[in-house]
Amino acid sequence: MSDSTIRARFAPSPTGHLHVGGARSALFNFLYCRRHGGKFVLRIEDTDIERNIAGAEQKILDDLRWLGIDWDEGPDVGGPGAPYMQSACLDQYHAARDKLLAEGHAYYAFETAEELNAMREQAQAESGGFKYPRPDPLPLAADADKARAVGRPVVVRFKTPTEDVTIHDEILGDVTLAAGELDDFVIVKANGWPTYHLAVVVDDARMQVSHVLRAQEHLMNTPKHVLLQRALDVTTPKYAHLPLVFNIDGSKMSKRDKHKAVRQGAKDAIKQKTLTKERVGEITGADAKAVERWIKKKADTELSMEQVVALAVELNVEMPEIDVFDFRRSGYVPEALLNFIALIGWSPGGDREKLTLDEMIEAFSLERINKTAGRFDREKLLAINLDWCSELPTPRLLEQFKDWAALNDCFLGKLDDDTLSAVIDACRGFKIFPDIVTKAGILFEPDERVVYDEKAVKKNLAKNDGAGFAMLEQLRDALATVDDWSVDHLDAVVKNLVEATGSKMGDVAQPLRVAVAGRPVSPGIGQTLVFLGKDKTLNRIGRCLELRGA
Ligand code: GLU
């Protein structure tokens, strides 16, 4: 079934890297378009100029492309709906504002923030709720000019009709907001920029968006958008609000979790007197008041993500992965992350869990999206990543590993492609890329870097009157004569010794492993020795034998 009139969009604000919740919205819009032969549009919503972060737009584009999501129209590829950056569309928003004002759907207001706060406090004290009281008569343009002249902030508010608003949601069904629930919300701010509500409605209409798939946290915005669409006389797209993404403990997954982890780390350190608030100020460059408010959890916004990261590094606190880029840096492959994200709040039916992007496109339907929140189960993500990493072809893993290594400044990334491919294959069964370093990294480091794990030495070498050391001597002698330093041949040498001495495999291979790697963990024994080469193998065995009697 192909429907070229379907146009869906993903509309992130450039406030940082792409969050996994945002990635899920992007993915579902993308899948829906690809499933039905529609067009997928990417639009950058950057009208909230105080929240914009320089460079964030490019990061979001990169995060999406890393996941394998592409778009038919957008800021970097153009298209009939250009420009795809809201900041380049001020004229359109102003035209909409003028139309709404001229037709009596909007009016000027000029309260200062302090006056609004006082009104809110008074209303809350008297009746428990605040709704902006619509003035009667409504201010005119001349009043707005006068207010501006005396330095008052002039905004434009929407004259919200007093009627029930029912929106139809493709997932949740009809959702009604009773008359009077909405007040006259601001559509143009004092700085002349439209609020999100006006901009999103103007752009969805301008770009002929037919379907809006977005997170449920926007559900209560949708009645506002529908009322604005009616007032502007434009078509209302079909809406589908996607279930929220929760942490496994039931809290909402958000970048706040990063603040939470680092705040806890800072509080613990302050308690243990290894940190002072002054030092937090030095590390972050924030003033004392901001530090105090941040620590007391008055406001996360007191510290930027960069400042929080600086503190995390200093305190050695691990922050939970929240953004797509966090998972990339932690060593997940995009295929797995995308697969996992697709399953938060959607299922293809049956027991199917592992899906390629093409399979997702084939299976996608709005009917199979859940109404209730999805859980972000990190254990499951690890399992899915392991599955994908077991099956992906080596060249693809090589490419992804090198990307991960570059991001983490990991020395293994500098190996030549053939060796690195062999390392990756020898470590298959790994969950995430750092596991490869844990398992095989030491084989590519200088011999002096081998740290012998005491317990492992005791168990595999020293026990039973140094049986392991004795075996190691035999191994050294056998290996010293080997010319064909290949996996098969070296495996055969070990096996022969097992047979000749009537030992178990572990009694021969494990002392050797500990001798060359410091711990009883490494790839297959023949492969381990091949990665090391003959000289290093014999050198490490020699160094290990020196531990005898130590
Ligand atoms: N810019 C909004 C956000 O990032 C978009 C919401 C929408 O899809 O309408 O949440």
Side-chain angles (χ1 to χ4, degrees), residues 9 11-13 43 45 196 200 204 212-214 217-218 225:
R9 83 319 188 257
S13 301
R43 178 173 78 221
E45 303 211 321
Y196 157 65
V200 84
D204 283 344
V212 172
L213 276 55
R214 63 182 174 196
E217 61 204 7
H218 287 294
H225 300 173

Side-chain angles (χ1 to χ4, degrees), residues 5-9 29 32 170 208-213 237-239 366:
T5 60
I6 286 183
R7 292 174 59 81
R9 83 319 188 257
N29 280 290
Y32 193 69
E170 300 294 312
Q208 299 179 344
V209 168
S210 64
H211 289 72
V212 172
L213 276 55
K238 286 193 167 29
Y239 285 99
L366 297 183

Side-chain angles (χ1 to χ4, degrees), residues 62-115:
D62 291 347
D63 292 338
L64 286 167
R65 289 219 165 90
W66 180 77
L67 280 171
I69 297 176
D70 58 10
W71 43 96
D72 305 301
E73 299 172 26
D76 56 340
V77 293
Y84 293 94
M85 302 282 292
Q86 287 190 326
S87 54
C89 305
L90 265 186
D91 288 352
Q92 275 98 332
Y93 310 131
H94 288 165
R97 170 200 64 191
D98 293 344
K99 178 175 156 74
L100 292 170
L101 282 166
E103 294 176 3
H105 292 300
Y107 62 91
Y108 294 104
F110 354 97
E111 287 80 13
T112 62
E114 294 74 32
E115 285 165 346

Side-chain angles (χ1 to χ4, degrees), residues 383-451:
I384 290 183
N385 204 63
L386 187 153
D387 264 9
W388 271 97
C389 289
S390 307
E391 284 175 31
L392 279 173
T394 311
R396 173 67 179 156
L397 285 176
L398 177 68
E399 181 190 345
Q400 288 305 314
F401 183 87
K402 288 210 285 195
D403 170 70
W404 172 82
L407 288 175
N408 290 279
D409 213 3
C410 169
F411 66 101
L412 279 188
K414 299 197 180 74
L415 295 180
D416 66 79
D417 284 0
D418 286 347
T419 309
L420 192 47
S421 298
V423 171
I424 291 169
D425 280 337
C427 294
R428 291 260 190 182
F430 64 88
K431 283 186 180 156
I432 47 176
F433 287 140
D435 298 345
I436 295 181
V437 185
T438 309
K439 192 159 178 184
I442 193 64
L443 306 177
F444 299 93
E445 296 222 52
D447 296 344
E448 312 77 70
R449 294 287 286 275
V450 177
V451 178

